[in-house]
Amino acid sequence: MSREGQTSQPKYLRIAAELRGALERGDYQPGDRLPGENTLAADFDVAPLTMRQALGVLRSEGLVGSRKGSGWFVESFRPIRRRGIPRLARGQWGSGKTIWSADDHRAPDVDQITVQEDTPPPEHISDVFELAPGETVCVRSRRYVMEGRPVMVAESYLPQSLVAGSPITQADTGPGGIYARLADLGHAPARFREEIRVRMPSAEEAARLAIPADRSVIKLARTAFDSEGRAVEINEMTMDSATYVLDYEFDA
Amino acid sequence: MSREGQTSQPKYLRIAAELRGALERGDYQPGDRLPGENTLAADFDVAPLTMRQALGVLRSEGLVGSRKGSGWFVESFRPIRRRGIPRLARGQWGSGKTIWSADDHRAPDVDQITVQEDTPPPEHISDVFELAPGETVCVRSRRYVMEGRPVMVAESYLPQSLVAGSPITQADTGPGGIYARLADLGHAPARFREEIRVRMPSAEEAARLAIPADRSVIKLARTAFDSEGRAVEINEMTMDSATYVLDYEFDA
C-alpha cells in the first residue's frame, strides 16, 4: 500500500497553522474582523495568494468566515454538543468535565421538512430493513438550523408497510415524535446503533448546509431496533463537521 | 451570520462527483489502476489540470491513491469498525446489520510507543483532571498501523501522582493494559465519556499518519472516570478520517 508522504509542508499550510495558533491563543476574538488580506500577507511575509489559501484552510475548518466586501472575520459560532445516549441521572459523575467547549444547552430547530411515502429505498437501507424486492419506504427529510445557520440535514427511513396510515407519514408526528408513534404501533425502539464516518460533501449536501465544498461532513446513521431486534427506523444525518461535538457516555 | 453560498459548483468538484459515482457503481474495483490523467481528462472532457484537482479531492477522501511513476489506483483499504461500547451478549439483536461496510474482525497494531513521565499537562487536560498548579501527568503516546498503514495516533494522559511507580509508566503495562493497572491502583474505570469532533490535521498529525494535508482527521477524546467520578485517564486519539467507522450501540 503506497501512502502519500509528508516530508515538507506547503507554505500556505504552515501559515494556516500559525494563524490557527493565533486564534487559539485569543489574539483575535470570535466575531472580530481580521486585518485585510494584504496586511496579513505582509505580516506573515508571504504572497497575498498564499495568504488567501491559508485563510481558505481555516474557513474549511469553520474557524474564520468571509463576507463579500468586508473581508475575513473570526467565526463566533459555538459547536453544538450532541449527546448520542440520553443522559442518565448521575449526580456523582464528573460529567460536567468535557474536553472540548461546546453549546450544551440549545438544540437546533427544523426549518425544512418533507415526507415522501411509498418510495423505492436505497439498497443499503433495503438491506438493513431486510425488505422484499419491490417493498417501499417512507422518507422524512429535514434540515436543522441554529442561529439562522444550517447545521444538519437528516433523512429518516421507515418501512412503508409499518407506518402506512400512521401520523409518521405526516409532517407533524405529534408529541414524542417518531419514536412515540412507533411505540403506538407496537414497535417501540429498544436499542440503537449509531455509525459515524467522515467524508467530503456531495454538491447537494454542500448546498443544503451552505458550507464550502472543501469542508467535510459527518455522516451519522442511527438505526432503531424494536424489542424483537427488527430495524424499524434508519436516520441518516449529514452534519457540518465544523459545528458538532458528538458525545457518548456509558458505563464500563 | 454570513455563510458562504454554494450556487454553482467548481468544475473539478463536479468531475470528482462523477468519478466518485463511477467508483460507487463499481466501474473500477479496489486495487485497479485508473486510466492515465490525460485519458481521464479526455473522457470527462476537461483540462488535465481540472482532472488532477478532481483526483485530489478523491484522494483526500481516501477513495483513490497515487504512486510515483504508476499513476492513480482505487484504494483497496477497508475502513476499520471501532466499537466505542463493548459488545453486549445479545443474540436476538439484528446487529450484524450495519449501514456501512467495514472491517469488523481486525484491530490495528501499535508500531510506535513512547512514555513520558512528569510532563506539564496541556491546559484542557489539567482542567478535566482538576490538577493543582504545577501537578504533572504521564503521557503514553502510540501510533497504530494496519496493513502497514498508519491509521491512528493516540496520547493517553494520566495524573502523575496516580501512576508514579506503577507499570503504567512502562511501555508494556502487562495483561489487561492501562485499565487493569488502574484497577490494581484502586481506580478501575467505571464510566467512559467519548467526545468526537472533526478538523484538518496539523502538520505533525498529517506526517505521523502519512495522510494528505487536506484530509480531515477525527479527534476522539475518551475520558475514563473511576467509581468516585474522578477522571483517571484521558486518551486523545487522532484518526485518519478515511479509515474509520465509529460504532456505538446502546439500549433505549
Side-chain angles (χ1 to χ4, degrees):
Chain A
M1 170 99 20
S2 101
R3 300 282 285 167
E4 310 83 353
Q6 293 288 317
T7 48
S8 76
Q9 197 183 24
K11 191 184 277 184
Y12 73 97
L13 290 176
R14 277 215 321 274
I15 303 302
E18 283 187 41
L19 189 50
R20 190 186 299 115
L23 295 175
E24 283 168 2
R25 280 195 307 274
D27 293 1
Y28 302 103
Q29 295 298 316
D32 275 4
R33 203 202 290 194
L34 291 174
E37 282 178 16
N38 291 339
T39 308
L40 282 171
D43 289 351
F44 283 99
D45 196 20
V46 293
L49 179 64
T50 305
M51 196 66 230
R52 182 178 283 224
Q53 287 179 300
L55 287 161
V57 171
L58 299 191
R59 178 174 60 194
S60 79
E61 299 173 24
L63 296 176
V64 303
S66 60
R67 289 190 200 93
K68 275 224 171 64
S70 60
W72 296 89
F73 62 93
V74 183
E75 264 298 353
S76 55
F77 191 84
R78 287 192 76 200
I80 302 162
R81 183 175 300 275
R82 175 188 181 276
R83 291 177 186 277
I85 306 173
R87 278 194 100 126
L88 307 176
R90 63 176 87 85
Q92 66 170 317
W93 289 105
S95 300
K97 298 172 200 154
T98 60
I99 295 291
W100 294 305
S101 160
D103 199 317
D104 293 356
H105 303 293
R106 291 174 309 164
D109 299 310
V110 173
D111 79 329
Q112 296 176 357
I113 182 163
T114 61
V115 184
Q116 280 192 290
E117 290 193 77
D118 229 3
T119 302
E123 190 179 342
H124 66 290
I125 299 292
S126 177
D127 286 351
V128 172
F129 283 147
E130 298 180 328
L131 298 182
E135 273 197 83
T136 59
V137 291
C138 172
V139 187
R140 301 177 54 85
S141 179
R142 290 142 297 168
R143 188 173 78 163
Y144 293 82
V145 294
M146 195 149 129
E147 298 173 9
R149 165 181 174 147
V151 291
M152 176 166 75
V153 293
E155 266 83 48
S156 267
Y157 298 90
L158 301 109
Q160 178 68 28
S161 58
L162 193 70
V163 301
S166 84
I168 289 173
T169 63
Q170 307 299 312
D172 181 359
T173 51
I178 293 178
Y179 293 153
R181 297 297 82 71
L182 282 169
D184 297 343
L185 294 167
H187 294 281
R191 193 167 176 84
F192 296 100
R193 155 170 260 170
E194 298 201 345
E195 292 170 82
I196 298 158
R197 60 175 194 166
V198 175
R199 64 160 171 70
M200 289 294 141
S202 69
E204 193 205 336
E205 289 165 345
R208 287 196 74 195
L209 291 171
I211 57 173
D214 60 353
R215 183 184 300 168
S216 46
V217 289
I218 298 173
K219 300 289 291 188
L220 196 166
R222 178 181 173 100
T223 306
F225 298 91
D226 70 12
S227 61
E228 309 281 302
R230 174 179 175 185
V232 291
E233 189 225 19
I234 299 165
N235 188 3
E236 283 202 332
M237 297 166 237
T238 306
M239 301 168 176
D240 175 350
S241 63
T243 65
Y244 275 93
V245 171
L246 307 180
D247 191 326
Y248 295 88
E249 279 186 276
F250 48 93
D251 290 326
Chain B
M1 170 98 19
S2 100
R3 298 284 284 166
E4 311 82 351
Q6 292 289 321
T7 49
S8 76
Q9 198 184 21
K11 192 184 278 183
Y12 75 97
L13 291 175
R14 277 215 321 275
I15 303 301
E18 283 187 42
L19 190 50
R20 190 186 297 114
L23 294 175
E24 282 169 2
R25 280 194 310 274
D27 293 2
Y28 303 103
Q29 296 297 317
D32 276 4
R33 203 203 292 193
L34 291 173
E37 282 178 16
N38 291 338
T39 308
L40 281 171
D43 288 352
F44 283 99
D45 197 19
V46 293
L49 179 64
T50 307
M51 195 67 230
R52 184 179 282 224
Q53 287 180 300
L55 287 161
V57 171
L58 299 191
R59 179 173 58 193
S60 79
E61 299 175 23
L63 296 177
V64 304
S66 59
R67 289 189 199 94
K68 276 226 170 66
S70 60
W72 296 88
F73 61 94
V74 182
E75 263 299 352
S76 55
F77 191 85
R78 289 192 74 200
I80 302 162
R81 182 175 301 276
R82 176 189 181 276
R83 292 177 185 277
I85 306 173
R87 279 195 99 127
L88 305 177
R90 62 176 85 86
Q92 66 168 321
W93 290 105
S95 300
K97 298 172 198 153
T98 60
I99 295 290
W100 294 305
S101 161
D103 200 316
D104 294 356
H105 304 293
R106 290 175 307 165
D109 299 310
V110 173
D111 80 328
Q112 296 176 357
I113 183 162
T114 60
V115 183
Q116 280 192 288
E117 289 193 76
D118 228 3
T119 302
E123 190 179 344
H124 65 291
I125 298 292
S126 176
D127 286 352
V128 171
F129 283 145
E130 298 181 327
L131 297 182
E135 273 198 82
T136 59
V137 291
C138 172
V139 188
R140 301 177 54 85
S141 179
R142 289 141 298 168
R143 187 172 80 164
Y144 293 82
V145 293
M146 196 151 129
E147 299 173 10
R149 166 182 174 148
V151 292
M152 174 165 78
V153 293
E155 266 84 47
S156 267
Y157 298 89
L158 300 111
Q160 178 69 28
S161 58
L162 193 70
V163 301
S166 83
I168 289 174
T169 62
Q170 306 300 312
D172 180 0
T173 53
I178 293 177
Y179 294 153
R181 296 299 81 73
L182 282 168
D184 296 344
L185 295 168
H187 295 281
R191 193 167 175 84
F192 296 100
R193 156 171 260 170
E194 297 202 346
E195 292 172 80
I196 298 157
R197 62 176 193 166
V198 175
R199 64 160 169 69
M200 289 294 142
S202 69
E204 192 206 335
E205 289 165 345
R208 286 196 75 194
L209 291 171
I211 57 173
D214 60 354
R215 183 184 300 167
S216 46
V217 289
I218 298 172
K219 299 290 290 186
L220 196 166
R222 177 181 174 101
T223 307
F225 298 91
D226 70 12
S227 62
E228 310 281 302
R230 174 178 175 186
V232 289
E233 189 226 18
I234 299 165
N235 188 2
E236 283 202 330
M237 297 166 238
T238 306
M239 302 168 176
D240 175 350
S241 64
T243 65
Y244 275 93
V245 171
L246 307 180
D247 190 325
Y248 295 88
E249 280 186 274
F250 47 93
D251 290 326

